[in-house]
Amino acid sequence: MRDQEPGPAGRRLTTQEAAELLGVKPETVYAYVSRGHLSSRRAPGGRGSTFDAKEVETLARRNRRESAGGSGSGGELSVRTRLTFIDTDRYYFRGVDATELAARHSFEEVAEWLWTGRLHHGVTFAAPESSVTAARHAVDALPEHAGPTDRLRVAAIAAAAADPLRFDLSEEAVLGTARILIPTLVAALTRPGFAHRDEGSLAHRLWSRLSGRTPDEAGLRVLDRALALLVDHDLAASTLAVRVAASARAHAYAAVSAGLGVIEGPLHGAASGLAHKLIMEVLDQGDAGPVIAEELRAGRRIPGLGHRLYPGEDPRARVLFELLEDIPHSAPALAAARDIVATAARHTPLHANVDLALAVFTASSAMPSTAGETIFAVGRTAGWIAHALEEYGERPLRMRPSGHYTGPKPPQPLPE
């Protein structure tokens, strides 16, 4: 039965009623709340939450428009892709379970699979000295406070300038660019006082730029698995930016730069850094309760919880948590993450996402809070290349939606 409340707020719906109207499970309703699509209010007596009926009905109409697909009037842009399919609790790269693929193959092998649909066993990526030198010189000119994503963007631009063949958009040329660009980005992430490694797997080279601690086999396995799991995730905001750039026939370096320009936001690549800081605060205080309370009091979402595409636990988080359980020094951060999930569940029953798993890994590996964003960017670069390749095979400039003008009706008089 609906709660009737006087005043401008209008009638209120229970969680179950909201779920029925939206055609989703009750836990998905709370996921909408965490993403800011719905607002909730405690029911009288503190039993559950209630929702504004008008808000719920508006969201239901929007969901129906989106489910209709296509880019016609009132609908969202829909892009055909053969790369990644996301199901209820798992996702697939070219039809193959992504978590199983990452469990059996290195990041480089998974990247090659996404690019070509073929496995290249034992493949490693290496960059020519000219590309690395150009990238490092450009990055060294940045101020000390520049973040890792700043360094990656500058490195990509410098590597492009050093490549006279960058405008060749043939598949073979773009694949050659990809195999050079990714290790160039890693090589450009130099840090004073760190013993940088420039050979071996890409995960090993990246570790030497994220942590001063000597890596062990288990830690490198987690990092390589994280890179492979993060290669692609359908049309995330940064991936859409890459496809828009590729639609305009920007070269691969420029397309990747477009993606790097988007991930720095707190709702995308930087989310793991917020989760890292949350983990560290819980470890410092010994209890998630006051930390979560302060986040809620400030009106902030709890970082590391919930994902718009998964009603349950993010499969990427599940894999990484299982690996981290085998690393003894990860135990405190893992316990903090479990405390965060359990404490937040009293308010909003959301599951852990990959940002929280990355935060546990970086916090327990002597890495800075920005390390998760760096791991995300390096891994996702491979996916961006795959989407750029797909888009180069489509009609140019098709990513050109029409604007819906809502300004003053023309003609208006010239301003004085």
Side-chain angles (χ1 to χ4, degrees):
M1 181 176 179
R2 292 185 172 88
D3 296 321
Q4 299 293 331
E5 293 183 4
R11 58 193 176 93
R12 311 289 298 178
L13 305 180
T14 66
T15 302
Q16 186 60 44
E17 289 170 335
E20 290 173 359
L21 185 57
L22 291 165
V24 298
K25 297 177 181 178
E27 52 263 35
T28 305
V29 176
Y30 290 107
Y32 284 135
V33 173
S34 75
R35 299 194 297 269
H37 297 320
L38 287 177
S39 58
S40 65
R41 184 188 303 169
R42 278 291 177 189
R47 295 175 297 175
S49 301
T50 64
F51 305 86
D52 183 277
K54 188 174 181 180
E55 264 192 2
V56 175
E57 289 163 0
T58 299
L59 180 60
R61 285 196 298 272
R62 193 185 78 185
N63 287 352
R64 286 195 292 271
R65 287 198 304 269
E66 292 178 2
S67 65
S71 55
S73 176
E76 283 193 346
L77 178 67
S78 179
V79 179
R80 292 188 306 274
T81 177
R82 299 175 60 86
L83 300 176
T84 301
F85 172 67
I86 298 178
D87 205 352
T88 306
D89 60 351
R90 60 186 61 196
Y91 66 120
Y92 303 83
F93 292 156
R94 292 188 179 274
V96 177
D97 187 292
T99 60
E100 294 181 8
L101 190 68
R104 291 168 172 79
H105 298 280
S106 69
F107 160 67
E108 292 95 321
E109 290 170 346
V110 172
E112 289 281 352
W113 169 256
L114 199 67
W115 295 337
T116 67
R118 298 184 299 274
L119 280 173
H120 296 261
H121 295 283
V123 64
T124 57
F125 299 155
E129 189 62 33
S130 59
S131 179
V132 173
T133 299
R136 282 180 173 167
H137 282 167
V139 168
D140 288 345
L142 292 172
E144 289 186 10
H145 64 264
T149 307
D150 297 321
R151 292 180 168 86
L152 292 173
R153 283 200 300 267
V154 168
I157 294 168
D163 183 1
L165 303 180
R166 62 187 178 277
F167 297 105
D168 185 347
L169 302 186
S170 66
E171 180 177 345
E172 183 179 359
V174 173
L175 288 174
T177 294
R179 296 175 185 126
I180 289 173
L181 176 57
I182 294 175
T184 297
L185 295 179
V186 172
L189 292 170
T190 55
R191 293 183 65 187
F194 278 56
H196 298 121
R197 183 186 178 98
D198 290 315
E199 67 281 336
S201 72
L202 193 111
H204 209 153
R205 281 174 272 166
L206 180 58
W207 178 290
S208 72
R209 287 157 170 83
L210 297 177
S211 176
R213 179 187 295 171
T214 301
D216 54 24
E217 187 94 16
L220 286 173
R221 187 181 307 115
V222 175
L223 179 53
D224 185 76
R225 190 77 58 87
L227 289 167
L229 292 169
L230 290 166
V231 161
D232 192 40
H233 209 235
D234 196 36
L235 285 182
S238 57
T239 304
L240 182 58
V242 168
R243 292 197 77 127
V244 170
S247 177
R249 295 305 183 257
H251 55 70
Y253 297 95
V256 167
S257 296
L260 288 169
V262 173
I263 67 163
E264 205 167 13
L267 302 182
H268 199 9
S272 64
L274 300 177
H276 177 110
K277 293 174 182 176
L278 190 70
I279 290 279
M280 298 305 290
E281 288 180 25
V282 173
L283 288 172
D284 184 55
Q285 297 201 28
D287 183 3
V291 179
I292 296 298
E294 187 58 33
E295 293 290 315
L296 295 175
R297 182 181 182 183
R300 294 189 291 263
R301 301 190 320 166
I302 310 302
L305 300 181
H307 196 289
R308 68 185 298 268
L309 298 179
Y310 300 115
E313 188 175 37
D314 184 333
R316 301 167 298 177
R318 183 171 62 248
V319 170
L320 294 179
F321 281 138
E322 289 174 358
L323 289 174
L324 288 164
E325 286 174 359
D326 295 331
I327 302 177
H329 62 251
S330 296
L334 269 173
R338 294 191 183 102
D339 194 9
I340 290 168
V341 173
T343 302
R346 303 174 200 166
H347 170 72
T348 303
L350 294 175
H351 297 273
N353 63 32
V354 72
D355 297 316
L356 191 63
L358 277 178
V360 170
F361 171 63
T362 56
S364 58
S365 302
M367 295 179 181
S369 62
T370 55
E373 182 178 346
T374 305
I375 295 166
F376 178 93
V378 171
R380 188 56 58 88
T381 296
W384 292 336
I385 294 289
H387 280 273
L389 276 168
E390 269 201 337
E391 196 57 41
Y392 291 146
E394 298 285 351
R395 175 175 53 84
L397 291 175
R398 70 185 185 121
M399 298 287 187
R400 177 61 170 86
S402 299
H404 180 65
Y405 179 73
T406 59
K409 184 177 180 179
Q412 295 286 318
L414 287 171
E416 294 292 338

